Amino acid sequence: MAKNVVNKNLIFLIIIIFVLIVTSITLVIYLQTDPIKEVLETDQILKTLIVLESDENNNGELHNQKSVLFTGVLMYYPVSRRVAMFDIPGNTGSIYSSLGDDGRVDRIDAVYLENGIESYQKEIEKILGTSIPFYLIMNLSDFSQLTDLLGGLRVFISSPIDTVVDGVHYLLPSGAVNLDGDKVCTYLKYSIPEETTAELQERRQMAILSFLIAINKNSSLMFNKKNFSYFEKYFQTSLNKDGLYRLLSELSVIDAERLVPQTITGALRNVDGKPLL
C-alpha cells in the first residue's frame, strides 16, 4: 500500500515538473521580442554603429594593442531605402566622461580602446544626439575573409599606388578595380605623406560603402539559411544569430549607390601633444 502511494506521488511530481518545463519554454518563446522589428516600429530609422578594428601593425605583424581603422554610423530609412552614413574620425576630441573618474580630453577612439564598445557607443550617441541601438564590429582579418566570401570589393583608385612607407611596399592599380581580401587590407592600411587625414578617412568610407554594395549583390548567397553560418562568425555584435540575420537582411536592401557619406568636421588643435579634431 505504501509503495503504491510513493509511486503515485512520484508520477504526480513528474507531471508537475513536466508542466513547469513546458510552461517556461512557452513563456520564453512568447515573450521573445524581435529587437529590429521593435526599433523599426517605434523609431522607423534603423541606426547601427560599425567599427572596423585592427590588431596588426603596418608590417602585418600582430600586436597586443588594437587600433580603430574606421567608425561609422548607418541611419537607414526602410520606406525609401535611403541611408546616411556618418563617419566618426578617431581623432575627434572632447571631454569624455567615460575616461577616468572626472573624464578627460582625448581622442574618441581612446574610449573604445580603453573601455570597449558599450562606452564608445554611448559617447558617439552624445555626439550625434541620437540613440544607436545596434553595433557591428569587424576585425581587419575578418573583414578580409568576408571580402573574399563576397567575391571582392569594387573601389575606384584615382592614381596607381606604388610606394614604400616604413619599409612596407604598397602596390595597387588605378581605375575601378575589384580587390580581394588581401588587397582590401592594403587599401585600408596604406598611408602616404601627400595624403591628408580627410582623404584617408574618405578612402575607408568608400571601402565600407563597397562592402554594403557587395552584401546587396550577394544577398541570395549570404542570406541562404545554410550559408549564413559561414558569414555570421566574422561579426561581433550584441545581437543573437537571428537578430544579426535580420539586421544584415535589412541593410542588404539599402540603396547604397545613392549614399553620400558624411563626416564630423572641425579644426585641428594640439592638446597635450595630440592633434585633436
Side-chain angles (χ1 to χ4, degrees):
M1 186 69 176
K3 187 176 180 180
N4 290 335
V5 172
V6 171
N7 287 338
K8 288 181 180 179
N9 289 339
L10 182 59
I11 292 172
F12 184 66
L13 181 60
I14 291 173
I15 292 173
I16 291 175
I17 294 174
F18 178 76
V19 171
L20 286 173
I21 291 174
V22 172
T23 303
S24 298
I25 293 173
T26 304
L27 282 173
V28 168
I29 294 173
Y30 180 78
L31 294 174
Q32 193 174 38
T33 59
D34 182 342
I36 309 298
K37 182 180 179 181
E38 188 176 346
V39 167
L40 291 176
E41 287 179 347
T42 56
D43 198 0
Q44 297 188 351
I45 297 177
L46 186 61
K47 291 165 283 190
T48 307
L49 174 64
I50 296 178
V51 178
L52 181 61
E53 64 175 28
S54 176
D55 52 11
E56 296 179 353
N57 59 23
N58 286 336
N59 295 301
E61 298 172 345
L62 294 176
H63 56 80
N64 294 327
Q65 180 64 55
K66 292 180 180 180
S67 59
V68 179
L69 292 177
F70 174 83
T71 300
V73 177
L74 283 177
M75 296 187 179
Y76 169 55
Y77 185 50
V79 176
S80 63
R81 294 176 53 208
R82 296 296 298 273
V83 62
M85 181 166 67
F86 293 87
D87 174 37
I88 313 295
N91 65 339
T92 302
S94 184
I95 301 175
Y96 298 112
S97 58
S98 55
L99 294 177
D101 296 334
D102 300 319
R104 74 168 189 264
V105 177
D106 209 328
R107 298 167 53 100
I108 192 168
D109 56 12
V111 176
Y112 179 76
L113 299 175
E114 293 183 24
N115 295 332
I117 187 63
E118 286 80 12
S119 295
Y120 196 47
Q121 194 171 6
K122 289 177 182 177
E123 295 291 3
I124 292 174
E125 287 177 338
K126 292 177 186 176
I127 290 175
L128 296 182
T130 186
S131 63
I132 307 170
F134 311 115
Y135 66 80
L136 296 173
I137 303 173
M138 292 173 283
N139 183 276
L140 184 60
S141 59
D142 292 336
F143 190 73
S144 174
Q145 293 289 332
L146 282 167
T147 295
D148 288 333
L149 285 173
L150 293 170
L153 301 187
R154 192 164 185 81
V155 299
F156 179 77
I157 304 175
S158 58
S159 302
I161 302 300
D162 186 358
T163 185
V164 177
V165 181
D166 297 330
V168 181
H169 190 191
Y170 295 104
L171 185 64
L172 290 170
S174 61
V177 294
N178 197 68
L179 303 180
D180 64 15
D182 289 339
K183 286 295 185 182
V184 162
C185 289
T186 297
Y187 180 77
L188 288 165
K189 289 194 301 181
Y190 85 83
S191 179
I192 51 180
E194 57 268 27
E195 185 178 44
T196 66
T197 301
E199 289 170 333
L200 175 61
Q201 288 296 122
E202 183 180 359
R203 171 155 45 88
R204 290 173 176 172
Q205 281 181 337
M206 291 301 105
I208 298 299
L209 176 57
S210 297
F211 177 68
L212 295 174
I213 293 173
I215 289 179
N216 183 298
K217 291 181 178 179
N218 293 274
S219 57
S220 60
L221 169 69
M222 185 172 183
F223 299 111
N224 179 298
K225 289 291 187 179
K226 294 181 180 179
N227 295 338
F228 188 69
S229 58
Y230 293 104
F231 291 89
E232 62 150 336
K233 61 184 178 181
Y234 296 111
F235 295 94
Q236 300 173 51
T237 179
S238 58
L239 295 166
N240 60 22
K241 181 177 180 178
D242 291 339
L244 177 62
Y245 183 93
R246 178 70 188 275
L247 175 62
L248 292 174
S249 297
E250 289 287 344
L251 296 180
S252 72
V253 297
I254 65 175
D255 189 357
E257 301 284 359
R258 297 167 64 190
L259 186 154
V260 179
Q262 304 292 322
T263 189
I264 291 176
T265 59
L268 282 174
R269 294 287 184 268
N270 195 291
V271 180
D272 296 331
K274 299 178 182 179
L276 303 180
L277 187 67

